[in-house]
Structures are given as structure tokens and as C-alpha cells.
Amino acid sequence: MKVSRQGSVRPGLSLVLRRELRWMRRRLAIPIMTLGFPLLVFAVLAAVFNTGLPTHLPVAVLDQDRTTLSRQIIQMIDASSDVAVAERVDDLAGGRRLMLEGRVYAVVMIPANLERDVTTGRRPTTVVFYNNEFLTIGSLVSRALGDALGTAEAGIAMAARLKQGESPPIALLEITPIPVQINPLFNPTMNYIYFLLVALIPTVLQIFICVTSAYSVSLERRSTLGLVILSHLGGGLAPAIIGKLLPYTLAFLITLGVSDAVLFGALGTPFRGDWRLLLLADVLFILAYQMIGALFALIGRDTVQALGFAGILTAPSFGFIGVSFPSMAMGSFPQVWGDLLPAGWYMQIRIEQTLKGLAPVYSLGHLAALATLLAVVTLLTVLRLLSLRRARLATPEQAQEVVT
Amino acid sequence: MRALLAGFCGEFKRILGDEGARTTMIAAVLIYAVFYPQPYLKEAVRKVPVVVVDQDHSTASRELIRRIDASDGAAVIAAAQDLSTARSHILAGRAFAIIVIPTDFERDILAGRPSPIAAYGDAGYFLVYRAAVGAISTAARSAGAEIAIHRLSIQQGVDSATARAIVDPMPVTIVPLFNPQGGYATYVVPTAFVLILQQTLLMGIGILGPARPQTAGRQTLGGLATGMLARVLAFVTLYIPFAVLYLVIMPHLYHLPRLGAVGDLLMVMALFLFAVSCLGLTLAALMPSGESVILMLVVLGLPLFFLSGVSWPSESMPKLLSMLAQCIPAIPAMNATVRIGQMGASLADVSPELRTLAIDAGAYALAALICQSVRDTIEP
């Protein structure tokens, strides 16, 4: 019907574009999935991490000594901004129970006779038990407790040296014969929230791009003549594909732009790279996932299956693209799989050109890999479209429909 | 009772008869069990590759490098001539930290002066940075302690036991519990598995769609409730074996620690799956189509994982957000199963989570009934 209504207009890109925009307005799911919902998800993620690195994580103390020294040690632990002494327990079983109930992340055991043994040089051992099942939290808590107890010990060692007759400045130097000067690279503020959010935005967005594209193209396929109408309106395969996908490319670019503006503007994430290179990578990344989604729609039996393919590819990719842990530490299957995901290459460029602030030349190889993946998926999509057309023309009654 | 049994069997027939539902609720669950954990299986935050720039070439510097290489956290993979060569290893992603030992390192030690070294770490990976820098600091501290003991006993004539007591008067032992190896899979996989169970079940119910009354005319509330209960029981029955696969069999095959009682895990799972099934029926009644249910859920996996409190402490999230998160059955269920399964907690230890799950189950059962009967009146 649409063909006849538009019969007088010359087929071309603008016709397909206009049809797509009308179409997007009619289907509520599409504007929600391209603009509103992704921004809402990013807002939730930003809220989860908005307080910065966790502080005052609850720990329990088992003080079997109850002397001035043990109370001083507990005070030093509590003074650390990373942890807070939330509970006192009478035995280790009580501490273990609090940990199993999820109410504390560590138990510090100060042994009986600590003060007496320290002064008589018997070297009593203080023990920290921490919950390493929650790896990130465990790492924060164990380091904070190790530092606090280390400071307490340094104070005791200092006092012992003064008693030996050393002068205070010499004693201070003697306490750490090999000081380590630590320089964090690429992350001078040591704020991991920046890294997490910079990585999470595209990881979530690739799911949105791929499933929305799969959904939209598979609806085209569901109506018997959808694809035929598209290619007639476009007057060829290329304008039909471009006109179908371009509105979504722009919509997702806006979504990515808005979230990055908030991330690098309002949230103060350092941006130290080349924005033109990043923008180019943004476009290639969005196009790649649109093409993958389109390909799934053309392969899948129905919309549900197309969405299933898109989900299986994109939803678990956070681990495969080596954001939380470098891919070099993985086995060979996840490494190869990760290399096949456009998001992995895009993520490298994104981190290099924002937080790390590397010279653009370091990112060109990754950009080439991203462009290659896009070219391969585009080629596969075009081949699939051609084979679908051949199959349709081979079926007489459908060929008839096209003619009329 | 007979209606219940008929509904129960009918639901199983529907699941097996609908290709989309069958793929999501059976095939996808089995694929994810193998596919999802792949990147994490080899991962251990140990032996992080580091590069050394040894400008001293002395016995003392080589001894320090040996100590770092022998540590759990770091492994020396290369020696570089200067800092810029070492940096190129980092930029290429081959190493994650650099140790610089300056000239005169040994001379300063022998002269009794502080002899500093420098460490540079790729701070882009939280756990990797912590492991590498921690290993370097610990090695420097323990080498330094030996030097200090040596000086005290040689130069000041203190006996070695007293020297040790002066240098290290209150040693600290730090013991990692529940995941002693610091394995990434142990940390991520059991929690994510609970989330996958929820997401596939919700999508499957969305694809099956809202209940269609078998008989024409208005259904009684009792009939509606019986029909829904039958469906919920069918979903729970289908998913209990998957829960065993995800929480008992797969962790065993992946060599993840599993401490708690299987019976306790299954108790939590039964309540969790009941709540998820009711939530699924509510969504099916509310959303226009199965596809819209999939679209909504497929993007939510990652945010829900970060809301769980396992990877990021719930204490540091906004209160309102962590309270709202409790409405998603997977959130209390992830916490309860990881504490029972990996930490060895009992049902009593997770009673707050069980209470939350029970409230979720009750609320969604009611919501499903209301939404379904409203839907039936709008479009009979």
C-alpha cells in the first residue's frame, strides 16, 4: 500500500529515512530502548557508585587483651576511613557468625596478654580474618586493616628503638630501610569509579544497540513484504540498509553523547585523549552492533530467536572484553571470543583516549580492528540479504506478489 | 486438586511445545552454564606480570627482585634497561607494574642509609594493581626488616631475638577466608548464576504470555488462583534441577569451593523460584508482548549484578536504591546462596534474606492475580 501511495516519489535514501522515523514514532518500544531506558540504567549505575570508593566498611574486633595498648590499636583501626569497628565479639565463633550473616567483612583478633608480651619482647601475633569471597571488598578491608596494624606496630618499634638509646631521627629512618615510592599510572586520582563507569556505559549500550536493531529488523521481516518494500523505497540495497539503520545510529550516538557529557562533565571523570578519535570509534562501535543485530534478525527464525541470539552475544560480554580482569590472564577460548567482539576493541580505544590519555597512535591498531569487524559483519549482512532475495524470487507465488 | 494437576501438566506441555520458551527456559540455561564462566575460570589475581629496571646490578638488588618474583602477587617477566622501555611493556598490556631499583641501592644499605625503590603500577585494574603493588611493598618490607635486624645485631651488639622484637614487635597475620586463592570465578560465577536463573525464567514466562482462560466466560477468582498456582508450580519444578546444576554440579566441575548444605540451598532456591515465577506472571500480564519482556530484561543483567552487594558493598549505595533492589528476588537470593554455598552459612544466618524473599513472593503472587484479572476484564 505504501508503495502505491509513494509511487510518484523517486525512490532513494530520504524515502526510507522518512518511513523509518514515522515507524519509530508509532512503536513506543523503540524510543524507549534507544533513549529513555539506557539513560535510566546509566543513572542507576551512577547512583550505585556515586559515593566513590567504599568507606567505613564494617569490621568486628575480638579484644582478648583489654589493655591500654589494645584499645589504642582498636582506635587506630576505627580511625581509618576505609573501615569502621561496628561490632565487638567475645570469641571467634561470634565473629564468624557475624561474617556469615553478612554484617561484617573482617574480624580482628587481638590476643590475650598482648601488651605484656609486646613490652617483654615476646612478639605476640595479631590475626585478621577477612571475607575474600567478596573479592573487591575483601581487598579493600584487608589492606586497610594491614595498614592500620602496621602503623600501630611502627609506633611500638619506634618506642623500642628510643629505649635502645637511638635518637628519634635515626630511629625513624631505621624503621623502613627500603621505602617504596608508589606511583599509580593512568589513574592519578586512584578513583576506580571512573574506570567502572567509563567501561560500563558502552557494555550496557551494546546490549541496547544490538537487541533494538535485531527487534526492528525482525519486525520488517515478520511482515511478508517488509524487506521488499524497503528495497523498493530505497531503489537499491545500499540506500535501503543505510536508511533503515541511520536513525538508530544517530539516536544511540545522542544517548552515548549525553551519558558521556554527564560522565566527563558533571561527574568530573578525567578526559585526556583525542575526542575526534573517540567520536570515530563511537560511530564504528554503534554501527557494528547495529549490523550484528540486523544479521541476527535476518538469520533468526522469528523475533524471539533474533533477540535470543543478540542476548547471548551481548549480555555476558562484560567478562570477555577484559574490563574487570585483563584478557591476557584468561584461557584461549575467552581470549579469542573477546577479540571477536567489537566492544572489546572499542573499550580499549575508549579507555586509552579518555582516562589513560595515550597518544592517538597507540589506538590506531585497535581502531583498525574495530573497522575490520564492522566490515566483516556488513559483508555477512549483505550476503544474507541477497540470499534471502534469491530464495524469495525462487518461490513463484511470492515473486508474483512483488510484481503486483 | 484435579484442576491444579491439569494446569501443571498443561504448562509443561506449553513450555515444550513453544519453541521460543523451550529455547529460553532449557537450551539457554544449559548454554549459559558452560559459556558464562569461561573468562573467569583461569583467573586468579596472583602472579601479576611485572618488569624490573635494575640500575644497581648488585647482590642486594638481585635478592630483592628474587623476593618479589617468589611472592604470590607478582611475577617478574622481563628486565628493562630504562623506565621508558619498561613503560612500553605496560602500554602493550604485557605487564602491569614496574620496579625501579636505583644505582647505589646496595651502597646505601651497607652505609646504613634508607635506600628507596620506586614502583609504578597500571592502576586501571583495581585487583591487579592491589596484588602487584602489595607484593612489591611486602617484599621491600620483609627485606628491610632483615636488614634492620642485621644492623641491630652487628652494629649495636643486640642479640638476634631482641633485635627481631625491636624490628617486628607485633607481627600481623592476615588470613583470607572462604576464597583463600582469591579466585575470580569463585567471586563472580555463583552469584551471576542465580541472576541467570532469574532472567531466563522471567523471559521464558514472558514468551509463554499471560494465562488464557480455557473456558469461555468469566473465571472465578478461585479458578484464576488455581490456574496461576499450577503454572508457578510447573516453573519451580522445571527450574529446581537447573538450580542443582548451577549451584552444586557446575561449581563442583569448576572446582569452586562449596561449603553449605545442599538442602539449605534448595530451600532458598524453592522460595526464590516461587517469587520469580510470580514476578514473571505479573510482567507477562502487564507487558504488551513477550518480545517487550525480553527487551526489558536483557539489558538489566549487569546493573542487577552491581546492585547485589557482592561486587560493590551495599553499605556504600544510596539507601533508597539498595532498599528498592530488595524487590528483585535475585538480589536477596544472590546474597543468601553465596553465603550458604561458598561461605558455609546456615539457614538461620540468612534469615533476613529469606524473609525478604518471602515478602517478595507474597507480594508478586498478589500482584500477578490482580494484574491478570484486570487484564481479563479489559480483553476477555
Side-chain angles (χ1 to χ4, degrees), chain A residues 102-122:
Chain A
R103 285 164 57 191
V104 299
Y105 294 112
V107 179
V108 181
M109 190 188 82
I110 299 172
N113 304 323
L114 176 91
E115 193 175 62
R116 191 198 71 195
D117 290 351
V118 162
T119 38
T120 52
R122 283 189 215 170

Side-chain angles (χ1 to χ4, degrees), chain B residues 48-260:
Chain B
V48 176
V50 300
V51 179
V52 292
V53 180
D54 181 1
Q55 295 166 331
D56 196 38
H57 299 289
S58 61
T59 318
S61 68
R62 278 190 291 272
E63 165 58 21
L64 181 62
I65 294 167
R66 193 201 56 75
R67 232 176 240 273
I68 293 168
D69 192 39
S71 73
D72 224 25
V76 177
I77 57 148
Q81 284 304 309
D82 49 42
L83 192 59
S84 72
T85 322
R87 264 185 85 101
S88 70
H89 284 281
I90 302 247
L91 291 178
R94 283 190 295 271
F96 295 89
I98 304 167
I99 306 143
V100 180
I101 304 179
T103 38
D104 299 338
F105 173 72
E106 188 174 60
R107 206 194 61 192
D108 284 344
I109 289 177
L110 294 177
R113 286 190 290 268
S115 183
I117 63 167
Y120 298 80
D122 181 345
Y125 297 98
F126 180 78
L127 294 166
V128 178
Y129 177 81
R130 282 279 159 103
V133 168
I136 296 167
S137 313
T138 308
R141 202 164 38 239
S142 75
E146 281 180 19
I147 292 164
I149 290 167
H150 185 74
R151 279 181 198 158
L152 280 169
S153 46
I154 300 292
Q155 291 158 9
Q156 300 185 14
V158 181
D159 69 283
S160 73
T162 314
R164 190 160 280 282
I166 291 172
V167 170
D168 188 11
M170 190 186 74
V172 178
T173 307
I174 297 186
V175 185
L177 293 180
F178 313 123
N179 181 8
Q181 246 84 79
Y184 222 73
T186 311
Y187 161 54
V188 169
V189 171
T191 327
F193 270 174
V194 175
L195 192 54
I196 295 172
L197 289 176
Q198 166 179 292
Q199 298 296 88
T200 55
L201 180 52
L202 289 180
M203 286 184 204
I205 298 174
I207 294 167
L208 289 170
R212 278 174 283 277
Q214 286 94 344
T215 48
R218 281 192 78 87
Q219 238 184 331
T220 61
L221 193 63
L224 190 67
T226 313
M228 288 201 141
L229 183 63
R231 297 191 74 189
V232 168
L233 290 179
F235 299 141
V236 175
T237 312
L238 174 68
Y239 261 66
I240 282 286
F242 293 149
V244 174
L245 175 74
Y246 269 37
L247 300 181
V248 183
I249 298 172
M250 294 320 282
H252 177 75
L253 293 178
Y254 294 138
H255 306 291
L256 308 180
R258 203 191 53 72
L259 292 173

Side-chain angles (χ1 to χ4, degrees), chain A residues 29 33 37 41 44-45 47-55 57-58 69 73 96-97 99-103 105 114 118 121-137 139-140 142-143 145-146 149-150 152-153 156-157 160-161 164 166 173-174 176-187 190 192-193 195-196 200 203-204 207-208 211-212 215 219 222 301 303-305 307 311-312 315-316 318-320 322-326 328-331 333-334 337 356 358 362, chain B residues 19-20 24 28 31-32 35-36 38-40 42-45 49 64 87 90-91 93-94 96 98 105 109 112-130 133 136-137 140 143-145 147-148 151-152 156 158 161-162 164-184 186-187 190 207 291 294-296 298-300 302-303 306-307 309-318 321 335 338-339 342-345 348-350:
Chain A
M33 288 297 287
F37 199 11
V41 171
V44 169
L45 286 171
V48 168
F49 301 114
N50 89 327
T51 48
L53 271 189
T55 52
L57 294 167
L69 179 62
I73 292 170
R96 183 175 178 277
R97 194 178 165 82
M99 229 188 282
L100 292 181
E101 287 173 354
R103 285 164 57 191
Y105 294 112
L114 176 91
V118 162
R122 283 189 215 170
R123 306 181 64 235
T125 303
T126 305
V127 188
V128 173
F129 299 94
Y130 72 100
N131 180 358
N132 208 31
E133 172 59 29
F134 296 6
L135 216 51
T136 309
I137 303 172
S139 166
L140 280 168
S142 68
R143 218 196 54 164
L145 291 174
L149 292 168
E153 190 190 16
I156 299 167
R161 281 176 181 278
Q164 269 312 104
E166 285 182 20
L173 290 178
E174 288 284 336
T176 41
I178 308 180
V180 185
Q181 183 207 350
I182 295 168
N183 309 280
L185 298 173
F186 313 127
N187 190 359
M190 285 306 280
Y192 285 90
I193 319 302
F195 271 85
L196 262 171
L200 279 174
T203 310
V204 173
I207 311 177
F208 275 105
V211 296
T212 309
Y215 177 66
L219 288 187
R222 190 146 73 183
R301 194 187 49 250
T303 311
V304 166
Q305 198 176 57
L307 291 178
I312 285 233
F318 188 66
F320 288 96
V323 175
S324 43
F325 201 83
M328 61 168 295
M330 297 176 196
F333 165 72
W337 182 261
K356 288 193 175 180
L358 299 193
Y362 283 103
Chain B
E19 177 131 28
T24 311
I31 292 171
Y32 272 122
F35 179 66
Y36 179 82
Q38 289 303 321
Y40 307 107
K42 269 201 172 174
E43 286 179 353
V45 193
L64 181 62
R87 264 185 85 101
I90 302 247
L91 291 178
R94 283 190 295 271
F96 295 89
I98 304 167
F105 173 72
I109 289 177
R113 286 190 290 268
S115 183
I117 63 167
Y120 298 80
D122 181 345
Y125 297 98
F126 180 78
L127 294 166
V128 178
Y129 177 81
R130 282 279 159 103
V133 168
I136 296 167
S137 313
I147 292 164
R151 279 181 198 158
L152 280 169
Q156 300 185 14
V158 181
T162 314
R164 190 160 280 282
I166 291 172
V167 170
D168 188 11
M170 190 186 74
V172 178
T173 307
I174 297 186
V175 185
L177 293 180
F178 313 123
N179 181 8
Q181 246 84 79
Y184 222 73
T186 311
Y187 161 54
I207 294 167
E291 286 128 30
I294 301 179
L295 285 174
M296 184 182 87
V298 71
V299 295
L300 285 180
L302 209 52
F306 281 103
L307 279 172
V310 173
S311 77
W312 200 253
S314 35
E315 287 89 354
S316 26
M317 290 174 208
L321 198 60
N335 279 285
V338 84
R339 295 221 303 272
Q342 274 60 51
M343 294 166 59
D349 294 326
V350 300

Side-chain angles (χ1 to χ4, degrees), chain A residues 70-386:
Chain A
S70 73
R71 277 190 291 274
Q72 271 173 2
I73 292 170
I74 294 167
Q75 259 169 23
M76 290 183 88
I77 293 171
D78 212 24
S80 153
S81 64
D82 293 335
V83 291
V85 177
E87 307 273 350
R88 306 288 183 115
V89 289
D90 297 322
D91 50 23
L92 274 182
R96 183 175 178 277
R97 194 178 165 82
L98 285 175
M99 229 188 282
L100 292 181
E101 287 173 354
R103 285 164 57 191
V104 299
Y105 294 112
V107 179
V108 181
M109 190 188 82
I110 299 172
N113 304 323
L114 176 91
E115 193 175 62
R116 191 198 71 195
D117 290 351
V118 162
T119 38
T120 52
R122 283 189 215 170
R123 306 181 64 235
T125 303
T126 305
V127 188
V128 173
F129 299 94
Y130 72 100
N131 180 358
N132 208 31
E133 172 59 29
F134 296 6
L135 216 51
T136 309
I137 303 172
S139 166
L140 280 168
V141 167
S142 68
R143 218 196 54 164
L145 291 174
D147 284 353
L149 292 168
T151 313
E153 190 190 16
I156 299 167
M158 182 80 188
R161 281 176 181 278
L162 295 179
K163 218 168 75 183
Q164 269 312 104
E166 285 182 20
S167 71
I170 300 272
L172 200 59
L173 290 178
E174 288 284 336
I175 281 178
T176 41
I178 308 180
V180 185
Q181 183 207 350
I182 295 168
N183 309 280
L185 298 173
F186 313 127
N187 190 359
T189 52
M190 285 306 280
N191 191 335
Y192 285 90
I193 319 302
Y194 294 151
F195 271 85
L196 262 171
L197 285 176
V198 164
L200 279 174
I201 287 177
T203 310
V204 173
L205 198 64
Q206 47 121 22
I207 311 177
F208 275 105
I209 300 169
C210 196
V211 296
T212 309
S213 179
Y215 177 66
S216 156
V217 175
S218 82
L219 288 187
E220 232 32 285
R221 238 193 121 187
R222 190 146 73 183
S223 69
T224 26
L225 284 176
L227 292 177
V228 181
I229 290 170
L230 256 181
S231 83
H232 274 250
L233 285 178
L237 208 54
I241 296 176
I242 295 170
K244 174 79 194 166
L245 297 184
L246 195 61
Y248 299 85
T249 318
L250 293 177
F252 281 118
L253 205 56
I254 290 170
T255 304
L256 184 56
V258 169
S259 17
D260 276 359
V262 173
L263 181 63
F264 296 106
L267 296 181
T269 310
F271 186 100
R272 294 179 300 187
D274 186 318
W275 66 269
R276 285 157 304 185
L277 190 65
L278 182 65
L279 185 64
L280 181 60
D282 285 349
V283 173
L284 294 179
F285 161 71
I286 293 171
L287 284 175
Y289 279 98
Q290 283 188 275
M291 277 295 172
I292 295 175
L295 184 61
F296 284 151
L298 297 174
I299 293 173
R301 194 187 49 250
D302 53 23
T303 311
V304 166
Q305 198 176 57
L307 291 178
F309 287 149
I312 285 233
L313 181 86
T314 54
S317 60
F318 188 66
F320 288 96
I321 60 182
V323 175
S324 43
F325 201 83
S327 28
M328 61 168 295
M330 297 176 196
S332 46
F333 165 72
Q335 249 175 31
V336 171
W337 182 261
D339 284 346
L340 292 174
L341 296 173
W345 301 105
Y346 171 70
M347 196 66 76
Q348 302 230 23
I349 302 168
R350 186 171 160 90
I351 288 177
E352 287 161 0
Q353 293 306 320
T354 57
L355 296 168
K356 288 193 175 180
L358 299 193
V361 63
Y362 283 103
S363 301
L364 291 182
H366 302 148
L367 197 70
L370 180 59
T372 311
L373 285 178
L374 171 60
V376 170
V377 194
T378 309
L379 184 71
L380 291 175
T381 309
V382 170
L383 287 177
R384 177 65 185 161
L385 271 173
L386 292 176

